[in-house]
Amino acid sequence: MAKEKPSIPKGTRDFGPQEVAKRKYILNTIEKVFIKYGFMPIETPTMENLSTLTGKYGDEGDKLLFRILDSGETLEKIRNSKFEIRNQNEFNNLIAEKGLRYDLTVPFARYVVMNRNEITFPFKRYQMQPVWRADRPQKGRYREFWQCDADVVGSDSLLHELDLINIYAEVFENLGIDVEIKINNRKVLAGIAEVVKGIEHLNTIAVAIDKLDKIGKDGVSKELTELNFTDTEIENLFDIITIKGNESEMLETLKIKLQSSQEGLKGIEELEFIFNLINQSTNEPTNLKTDFSLARGLSYYTGCIFEVAAVKGSLRSSIGGGGRYDNLTGIFGLDGVSGVGISFGLDRIYDVLEELKLFPETLSQGSSKVLICANNSIENIELSPVLQLLSKLRNEGIASELYTEKINVKKPLEKPIKYASSKKIPYAIIYTENESLKLKNLETGFQEELSMEEIIEKLKG
Amino acid sequence: MAKEKPSIPKGTRDFGPQEVAKRKYILNTIEKVFIKYGFMPIETPTMENLSTLTGKYGDEGDKLLFRILDSGETLEKIRNSKFEIRNQNEFNNLIAEKGLRYDLTVPFARYVVMNRNEITFPFKRYQMQPVWRADRPQKGRYREFWQCDADVVGSDSLLHELDLINIYAEVFENLGIDVEIKINNRKVLAGIAEVVKGIEHLNTIAVAIDKLDKIGKDGVSKELTELNFTDTEIENLFDIITIKGNESEMLETLKIKLQSSQEGLKGIEELEFIFNLINQSTNEPTNLKTDFSLARGLSYYTGCIFEVAAVKGSLRSSIGGGGRYDNLTGIFGLDGVSGVGISFGLDRIYDVLEELKLFPETLSQGSSKVLICANNSIENIELSPVLQLLSKLRNEGIASELYTEKINVKKPLEKPIKYASSKKIPYAIIYTENESLKLKNLETGFQEELSMEEIIEKLKG
């Protein structure tokens, strides 16, 4: 067999020890808060039936699904079809019935429907797993990336919106990232559409203003003009979505603008209710802002819409988002179950923490606390005392290892210390036959003769 | 769109909160020991290039790979080939260049080769991730399952074999599973082949005796007879692999039987060395047993071979295995890097713990410690004091939640307590406007009036 030069698929990554430690730090920080707010974990399979996935993410989403080739005689199937396959879709359906998880929301909806009889509602679950999308890879966008979701299904109460906002605030505070949590409401967007041009233009307006950050006011105006919006309509639209003031002033102004829209006023009421709740609770996230242009592609949202972005550094794209969807499980035959949820994007949060140098320094420690180095190659010493030392350390819960390789007897510590340094092991124990043990601090170089008990005490401290 | 009845692909599973907690318990137990022995984590992508995977697991393995359909116009490719595709392999190669991870060893070898310049050897890594195989699903065999591997590459030292044996012993002791750790050596098997019929029959013999547990002595004999082994050869073989006695007696007897085989004697020497090391260290795993019939399909092993099985209950199949492979990275162009590793099968360990009722009882706790229940529906009470109570509890690190749904005012606790019971929440705080708080132990039913501070102290204890 030819020796191939190995590589990994584009858009995917390997994670070395330091990266895994940093990713775990983020996951643990998020998970702790999820648990504190009463969410419980579930996990769903990497592969889902394509019947579960297709049609849930729009045509664009369907194209980005990774499909798994069926096992067995797929070529035979193609031959049996007499190669009369009209298009790529038909071809795909003939040879692939499974796909990789595209997000955590649809599998969660499927889970709820399949387990409806065992679940007590409201059901508060969290889920932290990778998802896959055949997107064009670019900076900050990967084909395999992790989402961390918390959702509540089976309750209409806006108290859950409050909890989710508090979770966002607390997680990012714990991570040390300054963020802005933007909030809007689908009903407000509907009201705006009604007032500006008519409810049937809701999607067009939502898609256009969603791009405001990227293409600016001029870009959005141009796009709307091309879609037959009059200058007055566009002016009215911007008039509303750029309302200024503090939160209560903005909502008061919006109330006047949307006074003719029942749905719009309902949306404002929901936002007001949430701001009131926040004022009443002691954990007051001051970084929650209304943004009447926030739409997040609307997708399945029916109530509140959330989005979180960092306010420092160069990475200002969304690191979290979510909202309320009144009938998510309806696609799987279970109607009338309202849900609200948020998602954290692990990989983007990682990039923000890296750029702003916000990872705790202690994370960069290697896994072992101490490396035992003999002053002779391991095959030339009596192993018994060394092995007993090693057992003793480990029995005390101290992560320890023994340097197992040949050494240069003239410079007996050279290779072990290079090894320890690469793993960021902070201490070495120097073992010499018939002599007492020495403990060496590898950062300062300080070294002292100590008994085994003293060493253990020192390393445990 | 028709409402489909949702399902998941065969051989895959959803995990609810209890199952996730139990799986995490196993993963954490294994991970703690890995870390204590100086192993550091890496993670590799779910998808690998098929060029990395194919040819590494034998023809049977290649058939069990899950292949990912390429994005884009695969139908076009088939058309362009004028449909002159000779076989399934050619078809697969034309439309799929990626596959799902099949084990953790080959991706690890690929990782080492790709990162050879950054890695300081010996490199001790652990990896705990799912793998996928298109096997026929059956009891205890899934298409998505987790492996937990620890490997050392870049060292010939048998001290690593010792560490790995100790890891097995310690993990299973911590989990409370009585196991037998079987050990053999590929060189011993080679010696047996040499002595019995000739080294060229090593694979045949290994494959046959590997089935001893399943088909018994008669079955193996029959198979070997059909492969032209004489009765004397078969008798000699069983004479060796069924040697009885304690470890040192067995090795002494084997030494006499294999005295004409250099390689066989080398294998015995390695086993003796390991048993000597174990006798010299204080953590003496008494459950290590030589088994001269252990072959584990040989695959890439060149030195020691390990296998672990539970000794109680109905599930006696392997829950772990591993061994030494002298040239694993050679397939990716990096020669002379020896490795030794072990694997834990999460899903089978789970099944054993479940059957033997060995999961700790505390794991069955739900995530929240306390549920706040108002004596009136949430929309009829002043929320401010309740929200402040909730914030205070969470600020103290107590996982808490508020019952948010409509209640029956005549039986105000009925619904909240049903909810708490389903999540195994152990306490409820009963809130009545203008009255003091009551803390109710939901297991005993005991209830007492307490101040907020007293409640916090009680729940933190």
Side-chain angles (χ1 to χ4, degrees):
Chain A
M1 183 176 31
K3 306 257 166 101
E4 61 257 63
K5 196 174 161 220
S7 65
I8 52 176
K10 62 179 178 183
T12 71
R13 295 158 295 163
D14 283 321
F15 299 112
Q18 295 306 315
E19 289 153 311
V20 171
K22 288 175 174 174
R23 291 168 66 86
K24 276 191 186 168
Y25 161 72
I26 302 171
L27 290 171
N28 288 342
T29 304
I30 296 171
E31 187 172 32
K32 265 188 200 159
V33 179
F34 283 168
I35 289 172
K36 212 166 88 176
Y37 281 76
F39 288 78
M40 294 175 90
I42 72 159
E43 289 179 6
T44 63
T46 295
M47 299 187 282
E48 290 277 355
N49 291 325
L50 281 167
S51 57
T52 299
L53 301 176
T54 50
K56 311 304 187 297
Y57 307 108
D59 289 348
E60 200 47 44
D62 281 355
K63 277 188 202 135
L64 300 183
L65 289 171
F66 279 112
R67 286 157 214 270
I68 314 259
L69 188 58
D70 292 340
S71 311
E73 302 300 322
T74 44
L75 173 59
E76 205 53 36
K77 280 194 191 168
I78 300 296
R79 282 193 178 132
N80 290 345
S81 77
K82 302 202 181 82
F83 296 105
E84 280 173 3
I85 302 151
R86 280 167 305 180
N87 57 41
Q88 185 69 43
N89 257 349
E90 258 183 49
F91 182 70
N92 291 348
N93 292 340
L94 212 53
I95 59 173
E97 61 176 21
K98 296 180 288 296
L100 297 186
R101 188 169 53 221
Y102 181 89
D103 73 355
L104 303 180
T105 311
V106 168
F108 173 53
R110 174 199 51 70
Y111 177 91
V112 170
V113 174
M114 281 177 70
N115 296 280
R116 60 215 278 182
N117 295 325
E118 288 78 47
I119 291 173
T120 306
F121 295 100
F123 182 50
K124 298 168 67 169
R125 87 82 172 83
Y126 73 88
Q127 193 171 351
M128 313 204 294
Q129 291 190 285
V131 300
W132 294 267
R133 296 182 189 175
D135 240 325
R136 201 145 42 85
Q138 47 182 276
K139 191 172 157 23
R141 193 193 286 166
Y142 309 102
R143 290 186 148 190
E144 174 174 45
F145 58 98
W146 278 61
Q147 293 187 332
C148 309
D149 283 21
D151 290 80
V152 187
V153 292
S155 172
D156 292 321
S157 171
L158 291 169
L159 286 162
H160 298 297
E161 270 83 344
L162 174 69
D163 266 358
L164 295 172
I165 291 165
N166 280 326
I167 287 175
Y168 266 144
E170 195 165 333
V171 165
F172 287 113
E173 194 188 319
N174 292 352
L175 291 172
I177 303 178
D178 288 335
V179 293
E180 191 171 85
I181 306 169
K182 290 188 229 168
I183 184 169
N184 196 11
N185 193 301
R186 153 81 172 233
K187 301 185 183 94
V188 165
L189 287 167
I192 294 173
E194 240 179 87
V195 167
V196 167
K197 195 177 169 77
I199 186 68
E200 67 278 19
H201 300 281
L202 170 56
N203 267 305
T204 313
I205 290 176
V207 168
I209 62 178
D210 231 8
K211 299 180 193 161
L212 200 52
D213 279 350
K214 278 188 194 154
I215 60 175
K217 189 178 168 177
D218 289 352
V220 173
S221 300
K222 191 161 164 269
E223 210 168 292
L224 288 173
T225 306
E226 280 162 14
L227 292 164
N228 294 323
F229 278 62
T230 67
D231 287 354
T232 318
E233 286 162 354
I234 294 172
E235 205 175 302
N236 287 343
L237 175 64
F238 278 103
D239 219 33
I240 295 172
I241 64 174
T242 58
I243 290 173
K244 296 276 182 294
N246 64 32
E247 303 315 314
S248 67
E249 287 163 1
M250 283 172 75
L251 290 172
E252 283 309 321
T253 313
L254 188 66
K255 236 184 256 178
I256 298 161
K257 303 264 183 199
L258 302 191
Q259 58 186 311
S260 64
S261 161
Q262 279 302 317
E263 200 172 356
L265 293 175
K266 177 84 182 83
I268 296 170
E269 198 185 298
E270 289 186 11
L271 289 174
E272 278 181 334
F273 186 79
I274 289 168
F275 277 99
N276 274 335
L277 288 178
I278 285 176
N279 291 334
Q280 286 175 53
S281 79
T282 47
N283 291 342
E284 194 177 324
T286 53
N287 46 3
L288 181 71
K289 306 273 177 228
T290 50
D291 178 346
F292 304 136
S293 72
L294 179 66
R296 287 186 63 79
L298 272 186
S299 55
Y300 33 63
Y301 300 126
T302 51
C304 284
I305 303 172
F306 305 112
E307 188 166 274
V308 185
V311 297
K312 289 180 189 157
S314 71
L315 304 164
R316 299 295 178 83
S317 59
S318 155
I319 52 177
R324 182 172 283 275
Y325 33 87
D326 275 342
N327 197 21
L328 184 71
T329 55
I331 46 175
F332 298 117
L334 179 61
D335 285 319
V337 179
S338 184
V340 58
I342 54 171
S343 184
F344 290 82
L346 169 63
D347 304 83
R348 289 195 179 169
I349 293 173
Y350 185 105
D351 292 345
V352 169
L353 288 170
E354 196 71 291
E355 194 201 24
L356 301 177
K357 302 198 192 315
L358 291 171
F359 280 111
E361 282 199 20
T362 49
L363 285 182
S364 56
Q365 298 296 327
S367 45
S368 289
K369 191 90 183 249
V370 64
L371 179 69
I372 301 177
C373 319
N375 74 327
N376 205 333
S377 281
I378 209 82
E379 65 269 29
N380 298 327
I381 63 170
E382 202 204 327
L383 281 169
S384 173
V386 180
L387 292 178
Q388 286 178 24
L389 172 60
L390 190 59
S391 298
K392 201 141 191 172
L393 289 165
R394 287 176 178 160
N395 285 344
E396 293 288 340
I398 299 161
S400 341
E401 50 189 305
L402 175 62
Y403 191 73
T404 55
E405 302 308 289
K406 279 204 170 60
I407 57 167
N408 175 346
V409 275
K410 286 184 183 151
K411 296 174 177 173
L413 287 181
E414 192 183 52
K415 284 179 67 188
I417 283 182
K418 191 185 160 218
Y419 174 82
S421 153
S422 79
K423 289 183 79 168
K424 300 203 168 70
I425 298 174
Y427 289 97
I429 293 173
I430 302 161
Y431 170 82
T432 312
E433 264 168 303
N434 306 319
E435 281 182 26
S436 55
L437 298 170
K438 293 187 198 77
L439 182 69
K440 188 183 178 79
N441 181 320
L442 295 175
E443 267 172 53
T444 64
F446 178 72
Q447 166 174 329
E448 54 187 333
E449 284 193 13
L450 291 172
S451 70
M452 171 114 83
E453 288 66 34
E454 288 168 328
I455 287 179
I456 285 172
E457 203 162 306
K458 202 130 197 165
L459 293 177
K460 280 177 91 172
Chain B
M1 181 176 36
K3 305 257 167 102
E4 61 257 62
K5 198 178 163 215
S7 64
I8 52 176
K10 62 178 175 180
T12 71
R13 294 159 294 165
D14 284 321
F15 300 111
Q18 295 306 316
E19 288 153 313
V20 171
K22 288 177 174 175
R23 292 167 66 85
K24 277 192 184 167
Y25 161 72
I26 302 171
L27 290 171
N28 289 342
T29 304
I30 296 171
E31 187 171 33
K32 265 190 199 158
V33 179
F34 283 167
I35 290 172
K36 212 166 87 176
Y37 281 76
F39 288 79
M40 295 175 88
I42 74 161
E43 288 179 4
T44 62
T46 296
M47 298 186 282
E48 291 277 352
N49 290 323
L50 281 168
S51 58
T52 299
L53 301 176
T54 47
K56 310 306 188 296
Y57 307 107
D59 289 348
E60 200 45 45
D62 282 354
K63 277 190 201 132
L64 301 182
L65 290 170
F66 279 112
R67 287 155 213 271
I68 315 260
L69 189 57
D70 293 339
S71 310
E73 301 300 321
T74 42
L75 174 59
E76 205 54 36
K77 280 194 192 169
I78 299 296
R79 281 189 177 134
N80 289 345
S81 76
K82 303 203 180 80
F83 297 105
E84 280 171 3
I85 303 151
R86 279 167 305 181
N87 57 43
Q88 185 70 42
N89 255 349
E90 260 182 47
F91 180 72
N92 291 348
N93 292 340
L94 213 53
I95 60 172
E97 61 177 21
K98 294 180 289 297
L100 297 186
R101 189 167 53 223
Y102 181 89
D103 74 355
L104 303 179
T105 311
V106 167
F108 173 52
R110 178 205 41 76
Y111 176 91
V112 170
V113 174
M114 282 178 70
N115 296 280
R116 58 214 280 181
N117 297 324
E118 289 77 49
I119 290 174
T120 306
F121 294 98
F123 182 50
K124 297 167 68 170
R125 87 83 175 79
Y126 74 87
Q127 193 172 349
M128 312 203 295
Q129 291 189 285
V131 299
W132 294 267
R133 297 183 188 173
D135 241 326
R136 200 143 45 85
Q138 47 182 275
K139 191 172 161 23
R141 193 194 285 166
Y142 309 102
R143 290 185 149 192
E144 173 173 45
F145 58 99
W146 278 61
Q147 293 187 332
C148 309
D149 283 21
D151 290 80
V152 187
V153 291
S155 173
D156 291 321
S157 171
L158 291 170
L159 285 162
H160 298 297
E161 271 82 345
L162 175 69
D163 267 359
L164 296 171
I165 291 165
N166 279 326
I167 288 175
Y168 265 145
E170 197 165 331
V171 165
F172 287 113
E173 195 188 317
N174 292 351
L175 290 172
I177 304 180
D178 287 333
V179 294
E180 189 170 84
I181 306 169
K182 288 190 231 167
I183 184 171
N184 196 12
N185 193 298
R186 154 80 170 233
K187 298 182 186 99
V188 164
L189 287 167
I192 294 173
E194 238 179 86
V195 166
V196 166
K197 195 180 169 77
I199 186 69
E200 67 277 16
H201 300 284
L202 169 56
N203 267 305
T204 314
I205 290 174
V207 169
I209 63 179
D210 233 7
K211 298 179 194 160
L212 199 52
D213 278 350
K214 280 188 195 155
I215 61 175
K217 188 177 169 180
D218 290 351
V220 174
S221 300
K222 189 162 164 268
E223 210 167 293
L224 288 172
T225 305
E226 280 161 14
L227 293 162
N228 293 322
F229 278 62
T230 67
D231 287 355
T232 317
E233 285 162 357
I234 295 173
E235 203 174 305
N236 286 341
L237 174 64
F238 277 103
D239 218 33
I240 296 173
I241 63 175
T242 57
I243 289 173
K244 295 276 180 297
N246 65 32
E247 302 316 313
S248 65
E249 287 164 358
M250 283 172 77
L251 289 171
E252 284 309 318
T253 313
L254 187 66
K255 234 185 255 179
I256 296 162
K257 304 263 185 200
L258 302 191
Q259 58 186 308
S260 63
S261 162
Q262 280 301 317
E263 199 173 357
L265 292 175
K266 178 86 181 79
I268 296 171
E269 199 186 296
E270 290 185 12
L271 289 174
E272 278 181 334
F273 187 77
I274 290 169
F275 277 99
N276 273 333
L277 289 176
I278 285 175
N279 290 334
Q280 285 175 53
S281 79
T282 46
N283 289 346
E284 193 177 326
T286 52
N287 46 3
L288 181 70
K289 306 273 179 225
T290 50
D291 179 345
F292 304 136
S293 73
L294 179 66
R296 286 185 64 79
L298 272 186
S299 57
Y300 32 65
Y301 300 126
T302 52
C304 284
I305 302 171
F306 305 113
E307 189 166 276
V308 185
V311 297
K312 288 181 190 155
S314 72
L315 304 163
R316 299 295 177 85
S317 58
S318 156
I319 51 179
R324 182 173 283 275
Y325 33 87
D326 276 342
N327 197 21
L328 184 71
T329 56
I331 47 175
F332 297 118
L334 180 62
D335 285 319
V337 179
S338 184
V340 58
I342 53 170
S343 184
F344 289 83
L346 169 64
D347 305 81
R348 287 196 181 168
I349 293 172
Y350 185 104
D351 292 344
V352 170
L353 287 170
E354 197 70 291
E355 193 202 22
L356 300 177
K357 302 199 188 320
L358 292 171
F359 280 112
E361 281 199 22
T362 50
L363 286 181
S364 57
Q365 299 294 326
S367 44
S368 290
K369 190 90 183 249
V370 64
L371 179 70
I372 301 176
C373 321
N375 75 327
N376 205 335
S377 281
I378 209 79
E379 66 270 27
N380 298 328
I381 63 170
E382 200 202 329
L383 281 169
S384 176
V386 179
L387 293 178
Q388 286 179 23
L389 172 60
L390 191 57
S391 298
K392 201 142 194 172
L393 289 165
R394 287 174 178 162
N395 286 343
E396 295 287 341
I398 299 161
S400 340
E401 51 189 302
L402 174 62
Y403 191 72
T404 55
E405 303 307 290
K406 281 206 170 61
I407 56 168
N408 176 347
V409 275
K410 288 186 182 150
K411 296 175 180 174
L413 288 181
E414 190 183 52
K415 283 179 68 188
I417 284 183
K418 189 184 162 218
Y419 174 82
S421 152
S422 80
K423 290 183 79 169
K424 300 204 167 68
I425 298 174
Y427 289 96
I429 293 172
I430 302 159
Y431 170 84
T432 312
E433 265 169 305
N434 306 319
E435 282 184 27
S436 55
L437 299 170
K438 291 186 200 78
L439 181 68
K440 188 182 178 80
N441 182 321
L442 295 175
E443 267 171 54
T444 64
F446 178 72
Q447 164 174 332
E448 54 187 333
E449 284 194 13
L450 292 172
S451 70
M452 173 115 81
E453 288 67 32
E454 288 168 325
I455 287 178
I456 286 173
E457 203 162 309
K458 202 130 199 167
L459 293 178
K460 281 176 92 173

